[in-house]
Amino acid sequence: MNKVNHGFIAVHVGAGQHSDSTKDKYQKLCRNACKIGIQNIKSGGSALDAVVDATIVLEDSPLTNAGYGSNLTINGTVECDASVMDGTNLQFGAVGAVSGIKNPVFLAKRLCEQQSKKIGYGRIPPSFLVGHGAHTWAQEMGIQILSPDQLISKKAEKIYKYYKRQVENSENEVHKYAKRRMDTVGAICVDKNGNIASACSSGGIILKYPGRVGQAGVWGCGTWACKDKYSVGTSTSGCGEHLIRTTLARSIAEAIVNTSCPTTSLHQAMKINFIESRFLNEIEKKLGGVIAIRYSPQEKLGDFLWSYSTNSMIIGYMNSNERTSISHMSVLPSIEVGKKAVVEGVCFRM
């Protein structure tokens, strides 16, 4: 029988633009995802199990741009990206531009788990699969395959039809809207022993080109997790191209891992490595966000932080020592969007 474990989990439903009318629904969704993740940990599951289960809750909701309800490509199809990283063994698994998979994050988890298995004749297990290859591998692993239409929500279809008409008349209208609907989802979990894992899942930017892969599927860009003296995990959101150019997930993790004040270090990293990054010089507004956990197994003390340069970001978190989960929506003044990143956070003890 598995022993009861304890842990802390954090989730996000994206750095983008969330309306006041849907705020309560998003926050409730975050709280539910946290509860599922903590239940997994307390039942003896691993940090990796917890982040995947929590992210599946987010993928299954039509509210989010991940899994069911994802943005549609210019051709009207769903293509998802997802990744997970297990900080305990540093293994990684990801999928990109994959169709017909209800929960891309689960497929990424299976790829991650396969890294430690031998497949014979000196062959190396894949860690990142895209498109048709990812679809075929999922079938071989016995993962349920859906028809293309089963992942299209009514909301996503309505948005697609409207902006598909707009693109024929004005590219500017589409670009304006695309800045709103790129809210990737993700989760980070750390247990009392410092075992940590992170996950990230996204349907990508609306009307994206088929085959486009965003940061959610790219190593060091969507997720990062590492266990050492401190356990550190990150999960990002925002414009995938901006996050890929700055390898934001890894950059943030490395900035806060060995520092006396992770809050200050996160703020500096977002400013120097993202807002002022030389890789984004030609971009007027840098749109991104991140959630991060740094935890000391020796002190049983940790920091949960989030930072964003978009209109808003919605996060949730829960400590297994607490009976309820908490969710919060942060808002940035429109004049500062893309030009400034703010940092917020809480401390926790296990």
Side-chain angles (χ1 to χ4, degrees), residues 197 237 296:
S237 179
S296 170

Side-chain angles (χ1 to χ4, degrees), residues 182-201:
M182 52 193 174
D183 41 342
T184 301
V185 306
I188 313 169
C189 181
V190 62
D191 70 15
K192 64 179 180 180
N193 297 314
N195 298 309
I196 192 165
S198 61
C200 193
S201 182

Side-chain angles (χ1 to χ4, degrees), residues 150-309:
Q150 286 181 280
L151 290 176
I152 300 177
S153 67
K154 291 182 179 179
K155 176 184 176 182
E157 185 175 25
K158 182 179 180 180
I159 291 172
Y160 166 76
K161 289 181 177 179
Y162 177 78
Y163 286 97
K164 182 66 183 297
R165 289 194 297 268
Q166 293 296 313
V167 77
E168 298 172 354
N169 300 317
S170 173
E171 286 287 343
N172 290 330
E173 287 296 320
V174 175
H175 291 332
K176 186 191 302 181
Y177 185 76
K179 293 177 182 178
R180 299 180 186 180
R181 285 285 294 175
M182 52 193 174
D183 41 342
T184 301
V185 306
I188 313 169
C189 181
V190 62
D191 70 15
K192 64 179 180 180
N193 297 314
N195 298 309
I196 192 165
S198 61
C200 193
S201 182
S202 179
I205 296 175
I206 189 170
L207 301 184
K208 65 180 182 178
Y209 283 100
R212 179 261 190 190
V213 176
Q215 102 286 350
V218 181
W219 188 82
C221 301
T223 60
W224 195 260
C226 181
K227 178 184 178 182
D228 206 328
K229 177 183 176 182
Y230 289 101
S231 296
V232 176
T234 58
S235 179
T236 67
S237 179
C239 179
E241 281 68 21
H242 299 179
L243 304 174
I244 289 173
R245 291 192 193 185
T246 53
T247 55
L248 194 66
R250 183 177 182 180
S251 295
I252 294 300
E254 292 182 342
I256 68 173
V257 65
N258 291 311
T259 176
S260 59
C261 181
T263 303
T264 301
S265 295
L266 174 55
H267 186 270
Q268 282 294 104
M270 284 292 289
K271 180 177 184 290
I272 297 171
N273 298 337
F274 189 65
I275 299 297
E276 297 176 357
S277 171
R278 64 192 179 97
F279 299 108
L280 301 178
N281 276 343
E282 79 284 8
I283 296 172
E284 179 185 0
K285 292 186 177 182
K286 291 83 170 180
L287 302 171
V290 62
I291 59 173
I293 287 176
R294 191 186 79 161
Y295 175 74
S296 170
Q298 291 76 30
E299 299 175 350
K300 306 296 182 185
L301 185 66
D303 293 279
F304 166 49
L305 306 168
W306 60 96
S307 180
Y308 63 101
S309 63

Side-chain angles (χ1 to χ4, degrees), residues 9-13 22-41 49-64 186-187 314-319 323-328:
I9 193 165
V11 304
H12 68 85
V13 287
T22 58
K23 172 186 174 182
D24 291 343
K25 293 180 180 179
Y26 275 113
Q27 290 188 242
K28 182 179 179 181
L29 177 62
C30 284
R31 292 193 295 269
N32 289 340
C34 288
K35 290 176 183 177
I36 293 298
I38 286 296
Q39 286 174 10
N40 189 300
I41 280 287
D49 294 332
V51 293
V52 170
D53 282 0
T55 304
I56 284 174
V57 173
L58 304 178
E59 287 180 336
D60 287 346
S61 171
L63 287 171
T64 66
I314 298 180
I315 56 89
Y317 57 94
M318 185 175 183
N319 192 325
R323 301 181 65 179
T324 59
S325 54
I326 297 173
S327 184
H328 174 71

